């Protein structure tokens, strides 16, 4: 094909619009917990796949932290070999049904897509979701041929995306893997944090079923550091190596007056009640949640967004997103901001809460805020918000949800004196391997990097699995 | 796992279970608690490990039927299984030879005070225990407590047994007559509040065990926040025991009421929240 033909082909393909995924209308979905998009039909998937140029070096691949072979899996969709396409994705990414839904594709794979240079990038995430769902509905759970047991035992601690990925890879390498989880359910943030309407829990459960099929022993209700220490696992219980992937689950508060009033609860608490404990089905499920008529969510990130949209679905009449900068600086994904807008969530920008007001009975009845304006840029390059004197005002609310980020939870690390942590309590680990200061102990995911993304935690889990393999062969430890 | 090996009704409202949980039993110390779930739709509730037997691999819990989950728990029998048991959680009690110690247990709080009194006695302290209840019919473990105490005083609010008084009355008498080095008090928040008010006058260090509402009990949700000396702490990981003189009991009591309207809905079979 000559250069001109190539150009022609590109022009032709770009001209076609991206096949948008049909979704529930905003005012309907704002009152239920069903997934927002319906997903592609096979015809739609083939049509969207047709927009892919099958670029030779797949620049999209470089945008994906685990380098899914995107051109290859999309080509298989074009050939209507949907299940093969799914296996192709799974070669690099054990959780396609999850990543297709929650990856920030606009800054990862899709940001590098050549078709996107002039028009819209190929909807890689949507296609990934499609093949995974197709396989779930039509294929049987394919368990790969397992190698002979190596006789080695590895403990994976934390069953979030990082731990799940590491456990799968280690099991496939023939090791005996035990996955310890503090909660009663596997999945980490996928189970307790990300709401049902963005990631149906049945999908997470299916992935967990898959790891047990691979022979991974799943042990819920095991708070490592309390039930067993790392040393007890490695010495008394005969584990040859450990991978710590316990997330960054400690909620932050503002430290303003009234924060301990009833009705003020962290996003972690609110989302855990709603998702893990299924409080949205209360009283069929026993865990209650404050529904709230008027809810204020504090913070600008994705977690704040999820909390606001859960509050709306629980039946709140009014949900405010209070954020101290402007929409432009908001770290939440643009698509989700758009979704929230459509659903009727009110954005109260350039506003900072200063205190919560007591109704006299220990419940929050209002939040006092101060208006902000943007000043000079700070270290992050974003313009620093500064309060406008005398601009205080109150918003009447009955539920407030601070969603201000999370920190490292010391419950495990403080019981491992020879494990090096940094000043904020995150575990110090080598990036390429996850090796820590303690021989045989690897770490990765949010507990090393601070809150990041699902796919980055999975990447860390995979790299650690490779490093554990090497370590089990040579038992060599050199930590710089 | 988590099989109920023994059930004993200590009173109409209070029940004892021995639960099979070997790993927890091996690790448990006085002052620890655990979380349980009764069934798949159930909530996570915290209960104190009132005793543990690492040889048999069991933990003992004594609970009072106050709401939906504890009442449901009361319907379980020997041989039944609990869905989840998670522990040991929280910090264990600080045990050393303080000298002269008074242990106060009110209502169902007698159970969690028992292993602490025993450990303090074993550490060489002179232990006086005061156990109190509203009435004789809900008093339990009198003999067990006597076995781990140098002296035992029993009070009931209605005078149906022991001394007719609140637990603070004999406590104050002791402090008037001798120097006490430590008081440990576990019971309803209101009882712990008044014990602390009493001991404050005599400047006697007082340890209380708080019973905030919890979910994960690993420090992840912040739902169990309390204020200790004006600072926010998490009962599940920073406690459950705190210096009683620093605790904001009024806040604790308000926070314990947080879900009363919702629990009421649950009991009256009200409508659910939002969609499916
Ligand atoms: C509400 C919310 C929404 C998000 N949305 C997105 C999104 O759309 N896209 C995206 O890419 N990322 C998103 N993230 C971020 C992403 O979920 C995390 O970066 C990712 O889950 C980190 O994975 P992990 O494996 O490191 O840990 P986690 O997922 O945090 O899992 C850690 C697990 O370890 C367990 N654990 C903790 N301590 C112990 C212990 N002592 N013993 C045993 N087990 C323990 C925890 O209970 C938990 O199950 C979101 C995060 C939140 C909170
Ligand atoms: C560390 C700790 C140890 C505990 N140890 C014991 C124990 O050994 N024995 C025992 O009987 N109870 C103990 N509790 C209290 C027990 O957890 C509650 O009684 C239980 O959660 C109530 O659940 P429910 O669904 O039956 O009642 P709900 O219907 O939820 O509530 C009924 C009533 O109980 C109050 N309540 C709700 N949750 C709690 C709570 N966590 N603590 C106190 N009151 C609550 C409510 O305010 C309401 O008045 C402990 C609590 C903590 C935090
Ligand atoms: S895993 Fe995420 S980043 Fe990688 S291709 Fe899939 S959606 Fe894109
Ligand atoms: S860069 Fe875009 S067009 Fe090219 S192979 Fe990747 S997805 Fe297809
Ligand atoms: S119960 Fe969640 S932090 Fe204590």
């Amino acid at each position: 094909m000559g250069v001109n033909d190539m150009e022609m082909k590109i022009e032709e393909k770009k001209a076609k619009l991206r096949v948008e995924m049909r979704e529930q209308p905003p005012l309907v979905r704002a009152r239920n917990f069903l997934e927002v998009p319906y997903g592609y039909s096979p015809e739609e998937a083939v049509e969207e796949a047709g927009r892919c140029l099958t670029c030779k070096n797949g620049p999209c691949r470089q945008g994906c932290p685990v380098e899914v072979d995107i051109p290859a899996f999309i080509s298989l969709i074009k050939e209507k070999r949907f299940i093969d396409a799914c296996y192709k994705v799974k070669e690099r990414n054990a959780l396609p049904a999850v990543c297709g839904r929650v990856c920030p594709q606009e800054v990862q794979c899709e940001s590098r897509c050549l078709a996107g240079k002039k028009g819209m990038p190929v909807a890689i995430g949507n296609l990934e979701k499609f093949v995974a769902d197709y396989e779930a509905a039509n294929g049987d759970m394919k368990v790969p041929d397992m190698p002979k047991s190596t006789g080695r035992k590895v403990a994976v601690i934390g069953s979030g995306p990082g731990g799940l990925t590491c456990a799968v890879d280690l099991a496939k390498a023939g090791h005996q893997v035990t996955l310890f989880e503090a909660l009663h359910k596997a999945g980490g943030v996928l189970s307790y944090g990300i709401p049902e309407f963005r990631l149906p829990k049945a999908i997470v459960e299916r992935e967990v079923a898959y790891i047990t099929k691979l022979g991974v022993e799943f042990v819920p209700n095991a708070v490592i550091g309390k039930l067993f220490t790392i040393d007890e696992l490695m010495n008394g219980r005969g584990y040859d190596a450990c991978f710590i992937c316990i997330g960054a689950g400690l909620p932050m508060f503002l430290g303003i007056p009234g924060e301990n009033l009833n009705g003020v609860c962290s996003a972690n608490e609110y989302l855990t009640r709603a998702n893990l404990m299924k409080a949205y089905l209360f009283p069929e499920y026993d865990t209650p949640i404050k529904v709230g008529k008027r809810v204020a969510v504090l913070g600008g990130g994705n977690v704040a967004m999820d909390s606001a949209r859960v509050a709306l679905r629980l039946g709140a009449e009014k949900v405010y997103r209070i954020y101290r900068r402007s929409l432009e600086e908001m770290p939440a994904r643009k698509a989700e901001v758009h979704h929230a807008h459509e659903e009727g969530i009110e954005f109260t920008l350039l506003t900072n809460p200063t205190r919560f007001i007591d109704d006299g009975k220990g419940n929050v009845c209002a939040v006092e805020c101060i208006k902000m304006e943007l000043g000079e840029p700070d270290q992050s390059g974003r313009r620093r918000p500064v309060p406008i004197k005398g601009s205080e005002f109150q918003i009447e609310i009955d539920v407030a949800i601070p969603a201000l980020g999370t920190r490292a939870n010391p419950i495990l690390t403080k019981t491992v004196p020879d494990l090096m942590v940094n000043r904020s309590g995150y575990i110090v680990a080598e990036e390429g391997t996850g090796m820590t200061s303690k021989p045989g102990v690897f770490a990765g995911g949010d507990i090393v990097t601070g809150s990041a993304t699902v796919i980055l935690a999975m990447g860390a889990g995979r790299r650690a699995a490779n490093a554990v393999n090497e370590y089990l062969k040579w038992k060599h430890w050199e930590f710089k | 796992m988590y099989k109920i090996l023994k059930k004993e009704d200590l009173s109409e409202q209070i029940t004892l279970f021995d639960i099979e949980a070997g790993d927890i039993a091996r690790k448990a110390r006085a002052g620890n608690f655990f979380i349980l779930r009764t069934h798949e739709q159930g909530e996570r509730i915290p209960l104190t490990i009132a005793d543990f037997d690492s040889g048999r691999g069991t933990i003992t819990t004594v609970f009072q039927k106050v709401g939906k989950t504890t009442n449901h728990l009361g319907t379980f029998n020997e041989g039944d299984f609990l869905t989840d048991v998670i522990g040991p959680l929280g910090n264990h009690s600080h045990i050393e030879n303080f000298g002269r110690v008074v242990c106060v247990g009110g209502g169902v709080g007698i159970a969690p005070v028992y292993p602490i009194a025993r450990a303090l006695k074993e550490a060489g302290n002179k232990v006086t225990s005061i156990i109190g209840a509203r009435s004789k019919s809900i008093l339990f473990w009198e003999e067990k407590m006597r076995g781990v105490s140098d002296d035992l005083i029993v009070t009931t609010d209605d005078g149906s047994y022991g001394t007719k008084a609140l637990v603070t009355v004999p406590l104050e008498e002791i402090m008037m007559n001798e120097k006490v080095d430590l008081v440990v008090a576990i019971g309803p928040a209101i009882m712990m509040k008044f014990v602390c008010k009493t001991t404050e006058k005599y400047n006697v260090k007082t340890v209380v065990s708080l019973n905030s509402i919890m979910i994960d009990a690993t420090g992840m949700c912040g739902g169990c926040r309390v204020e200790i000396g004006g600072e926010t702490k998490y009962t599940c990981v920073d406690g459950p025991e705190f210096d009683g003189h620093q605790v904001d009991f009024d806040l604790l009591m308000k926070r314990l009421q947080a879900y009363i309207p919702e629990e009421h809905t649950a009991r009256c079979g009200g409508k659910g929240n939002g969609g499916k």
Side-chain angles (χ1 to χ4, degrees), chain B residues 136-174:
Chain B
K136 177 172 194 259
S137 63
I138 47 178
L139 193 77
F140 63 95
W141 279 15
E142 183 186 347
E143 287 317 310
K144 256 183 111 141
M145 283 303 288
R146 201 182 301 283
V148 298
S149 315
D150 293 287
D151 290 303
L152 181 76
I153 300 165
V154 182
T155 68
T156 50
D157 297 4
D158 63 1
S160 52
Y161 190 70
T163 314
K164 178 175 195 293
L166 298 172
V167 289
T168 43
V169 175
L171 175 63
E172 180 141 22
E173 272 166 22
I174 295 170

Side-chain angles (χ1 to χ4, degrees), chain A residues 99 102-110 302 333 453-455:
Chain A
C99 292
V102 305
C103 263
Q105 291 100 7
E106 68 281 6
V107 297
Q108 295 181 349
C109 50
E110 294 179 13
N302 288 310
R333 292 178 69 183
T453 61
V454 169
I455 190 71

Side-chain angles (χ1 to χ4, degrees), chain A residues 154-171:
Chain A
V154 187
V156 175
I157 299 150
S159 65
L164 288 173
T165 306
C166 189
V168 166
D169 283 7
L170 289 169

Side-chain angles (χ1 to χ4, degrees), chain A residues 31-34 182-185 192 196 220-223 225-229 232 237 249-253 259-266 268-269 272-273 276-277 279-291 313-315 358 360-363 407 409 411 414, chain B residues 2 23-24 26-27 32 37-44 68-69 72 83-91 213-227 232 234 237 251 254-263 265-266 269-276:
Chain A
R31 297 293 174 200
N32 69 46
F33 275 83
L34 299 174
L183 295 170
H184 56 266
K185 213 173 197 147
Y192 79 74
E196 178 76 18
N221 300 335
V223 184
K226 290 286 180 189
L227 188 63
F228 311 117
T229 60
E232 283 164 349
R237 296 191 167 246
L250 213 64
M252 296 206 273
F253 287 88
E259 210 153 23
N260 293 336
L261 290 170
N262 287 338
V264 183
C265 60
S266 75
N268 268 10
E269 178 182 351
T272 302
R273 284 180 183 274
L276 180 71
M277 306 311 296
Y280 67 92
L281 299 175
F282 182 86
E284 189 191 324
Y285 280 71
D286 290 344
T287 304
I289 192 165
K290 287 267 164 238
V291 169
R313 282 159 173 76
L314 284 173
D358 190 339
K361 293 184 212 130
N363 307 306
R407 292 172 299 159
N409 188 337
I411 198 165
K414 74 179 181 198
Chain B
Y2 318 138
D23 290 332
I24 302 177
R26 269 184 286 283
K27 244 350 201 344
N32 285 141
R37 252 180 7 133
T38 48
H39 62 307
E40 218 22 74
Q41 286 78 29
E43 61 183 335
R44 295 166 65 99
K68 184 157 180 193
T69 304
H72 181 213
T83 300
D84 297 293
V85 173
I86 305 135
L89 296 165
N91 299 305
I213 294 174
M214 295 185 178
I215 309 177
D216 60 296
T218 63
M220 188 267 277
C221 75
C224 61
R225 354 202 245 296
V226 286
E227 276 177 31
T232 297
Y234 293 178
V237 285
L251 178 75
K254 278 181 195 151
R255 287 186 65 81
L256 282 172
Q257 308 287 315
Y259 290 94
I260 298 268
E262 286 80 9
E263 300 294 358
T265 314
K271 234 173 81 268
N273 291 333
K276 280 266 149 63

Side-chain angles (χ1 to χ4, degrees), chain A residues 286 288, chain B residues 13-15 31-34 43-50 60-72 89 108-109 111-112 186 209-214 224 235-236 239-240 253-260 263-264 266-267:
Chain A
D286 290 344
Chain B
Q13 288 306 317
I14 297 176
T15 301
N32 285 141
F33 67 95
F34 70 102
E43 61 183 335
R44 295 166 65 99
I45 67 156
L47 294 172
T48 306
I49 299 177
T60 302
T61 187
V62 174
F63 61 93
Q64 182 168 17
K65 291 170 246 178
V66 292
K68 184 157 180 193
T69 304
T70 44
N71 274 301
H72 181 213
L89 296 165
V108 72
I186 306 181
S209 179
L210 304 185
N211 57 348
S212 331
I213 294 174
M214 295 185 178
C224 61
T235 305
C236 66
M253 287 188 274
K254 278 181 195 151
R255 287 186 65 81
L256 282 172
Q257 308 287 315
Y259 290 94
I260 298 268
E263 300 294 358
H264 183 76
R267 271 196 301 277

Side-chain angles (χ1 to χ4, degrees), chain B residues 169-228:
Chain B
V169 175
L171 175 63
E172 180 141 22
E173 272 166 22
I174 295 170
M175 287 188 298
M176 276 192 307
N177 294 318
E178 9 171 359
K179 183 177 167 299
V180 174
D181 300 297
L182 178 75
V183 170
V184 178
I186 306 181
I190 188 80
M191 178 208 96
M192 293 191 282
K193 175 178 168 175
F194 282 100
V195 165
C196 290
K197 283 205 160 167
T198 312
T199 58
E200 218 165 17
K201 286 189 286 186
Y202 298 87
N203 210 3
V204 177
K205 184 169 182 229
T206 305
V207 170
V208 294
S209 179
L210 304 185
N211 57 348
S212 331
I213 294 174
M214 295 185 178
I215 309 177
D216 60 296
T218 63
M220 188 267 277
C221 75
C224 61
R225 354 202 245 296
V226 286
E227 276 177 31
I228 311 295

